[in-house]
Amino acid sequence: MDFSLKLVLYQAINFVLLMAILGFIFNKFLRPFMHKRTEEIKKSFDEIENQKKEMALLKQQYNDQVDCLKDKAKLEIDKAIGEGSRMRDDIIAQAKKESGALIDRAKTEIDHEKQKAIMELQKEVASLTLMATRRLIKKQMDDSTNRQLVEDFIEELVKNPPEKT
């Protein structure tokens, strides 16, 4: 055999041995490792999918709770608005009642002041009439008689006022 043929044969044998050793190492160590790693990755993906489902469920529960809270908050706001409206109406009614009482009291005071002013005016008119009468007749009657005559006259005027033409 020729040296080059021996060399090729020797290299082929080495190559086959190397492949057998590599195949043995691959089957003995790498294949179980690769299989184990593949299973771990599948488990990780399954866990991720389960966590996604749990998160979706939690998110739905959260959204349901938020919607429920929104509804409760809306009801409370509507209730507060109703209570505020009722209070406003009560305040307005109370203010109207108090203003009516103030108006009535003011009218009463005005009537009282009017009567007081009329009485003072009547006394003043009586005094002025007495003074004018004294000057006209140049004779003075006693004061109580004069006053009584004028007061009777004014009282008669108040009871039966002259008609305006």
Side-chain angles (χ1 to χ4, degrees):
M1 272 202 187
D2 184 12
F3 179 72
S4 60
L5 188 59
K6 281 184 184 180
L7 185 61
V8 169
L9 188 59
Y10 179 69
Q11 284 178 345
I13 292 172
N14 282 339
F15 179 73
V16 170
L17 281 173
L18 179 66
M19 290 313 266
I21 291 171
L22 286 176
F24 174 76
I25 290 173
F26 179 76
N27 283 330
K28 180 77 175 172
F29 299 107
L30 288 178
R31 184 171 284 191
F33 172 76
M34 294 294 277
H35 182 66
K36 183 180 174 187
R37 182 70 181 139
T38 302
E39 290 299 316
E40 287 175 359
I41 290 172
K42 283 182 184 178
K43 276 185 181 180
S44 294
F45 277 118
D46 289 343
E47 286 179 22
I48 289 171
E49 285 301 316
N50 287 338
Q51 287 177 353
K52 279 184 181 179
K53 288 177 185 176
E54 287 177 16
M55 286 295 131
L57 182 61
L58 286 174
K59 183 179 177 184
Q60 184 60 42
Q61 289 173 348
Y62 170 77
N63 287 337
D64 291 345
Q65 287 177 349
V66 167
D67 290 342
C68 182
L69 289 174
K70 283 180 182 177
D71 291 341
K72 285 181 181 179
K74 186 176 182 331
L75 287 174
E76 288 298 318
I77 289 171
D78 290 344
K79 183 180 174 182
I81 288 172
E83 181 68 19
S85 294
R86 187 191 59 76
M87 288 175 68
R88 181 198 66 213
D89 293 343
D90 289 348
I91 289 170
I92 289 172
Q94 182 66 25
K96 284 181 179 179
K97 183 179 175 183
E98 288 175 5
S99 68
L102 284 174
I103 289 171
D104 290 344
R105 199 172 22 224
K107 285 180 180 179
T108 302
E109 284 182 28
I110 289 171
D111 286 342
H112 178 71
E113 289 295 320
K114 181 179 171 185
Q115 290 300 322
K116 190 175 163 183
I118 288 172
M119 290 190 65
E120 286 179 21
L121 188 60
Q122 286 174 348
K123 287 179 183 178
E124 189 65 33
V125 167
S127 294
L128 288 174
T129 305
L130 282 175
M131 282 181 8
T133 305
R134 281 185 199 151
R135 286 189 182 161
L136 283 175
I137 32 182
K138 302 259 184 189
K139 172 178 162 187
Q140 186 169 1
M141 297 188 210
D142 68 358
D143 202 29
S144 64
T145 305
N146 285 339
R147 189 161 297 282
Q148 186 61 42
L149 285 172
V150 171
E151 286 178 5
D152 289 344
F153 176 75
I154 291 173
E155 193 174 310
E156 183 65 32
L157 278 177
V158 170
K159 288 181 183 175
N160 300 316
E163 293 183 23
K164 294 182 181 178
T165 56

